[in-house]
Amino acid sequence: MRIFNGFEELKVAVGTEIGVSEWLDVTQERISKFADATCDEQWIHVDQERAKVEMPGGMTIAHGLLSLSLTPMFIRSVMGLKGLKNTLNYGADRIRYLAPVPAGSRLRGRVSIVEAVDVPPNGLRVSYRVAIEMEGGTRPACVADVIGLHYR
């Protein structure tokens, strides 16, 4: 884990990779719980029997938004920022789903800082590029520029 001792250190890190998270299991149970929580129960995510017959690879796949929803956890797992009061999710500028994530896959996040802009009176808006890699995959499952608004 990389620890930043304030906004200035974070701004100096713009344009660099700050870390790679540990692997996270994407189980069918995780996919099904996400489907329940979001009311997105499309069969490609939850119907294992149908997926065996109709899906390439014979497996259900995770929701793209499930992969995206892991980005805050991936970021928190590779960095810390001292002196924070709170952080808000400010949104995303770019999201691409490049490869399906079959149930049973393992994902990790490769995190870089793209931009850091002061936001008066006590904030810093940071754009993080998160490449969500799938173990054994040839390309990222998802690449997203997600934005956090940090306050001290």
Side-chain angles (χ1 to χ4, degrees):
M1 169 161 313
R2 186 165 170 189
I3 303 297
F4 294 93
N5 291 306
F7 288 177
E8 294 308 313
E9 283 188 16
L10 199 57
K11 288 191 272 187
V12 169
V14 168
T16 66
E17 181 178 293
I18 58 173
V20 180
S21 75
E22 297 293 324
W23 292 105
L24 175 81
D25 294 324
V26 180
T27 63
Q28 183 61 52
E29 179 182 15
R30 183 183 299 272
I31 295 168
S32 295
K33 284 181 178 181
F34 189 86
D36 289 343
T38 60
C39 299
D40 182 356
E41 297 172 341
Q42 185 180 9
W43 73 266
I44 63 173
H45 306 304
V46 297
D47 190 335
Q48 293 175 289
E49 294 306 312
R50 186 171 175 187
K52 283 179 188 174
V53 176
E54 296 184 40
M55 289 294 290
M59 302 288 293
T60 59
I61 59 172
H63 307 71
L65 289 173
L66 188 159
S67 298
L68 182 65
S69 74
L70 299 171
T71 59
M73 184 269 307
F74 288 142
I75 294 168
R76 285 191 312 269
S77 75
V78 300
M79 67 165 281
L81 180 55
K82 291 187 176 179
L84 279 185
K85 286 189 177 176
N86 65 3
T87 296
L88 301 175
N89 177 348
Y90 194 74
D93 281 336
R94 180 179 181 276
I95 303 165
R96 299 291 182 267
Y97 302 110
L98 304 174
V101 177
S105 297
R106 290 177 14 124
L107 300 177
R108 69 179 179 187
R110 183 173 299 275
V111 181
S112 302
I113 299 177
V114 176
E115 181 181 52
V117 177
D118 288 312
V119 177
N122 293 312
L124 186 69
R125 187 178 63 239
V126 181
S127 179
Y128 298 95
R129 176 153 304 135
V130 183
I132 301 174
E133 301 173 341
M134 188 167 38
E135 189 173 48
T138 57
R139 59 192 301 189
C142 176
V143 176
D145 289 350
V146 295
I147 306 164
L149 189 50
H150 303 298
Y151 289 100
R152 56 180 167 209

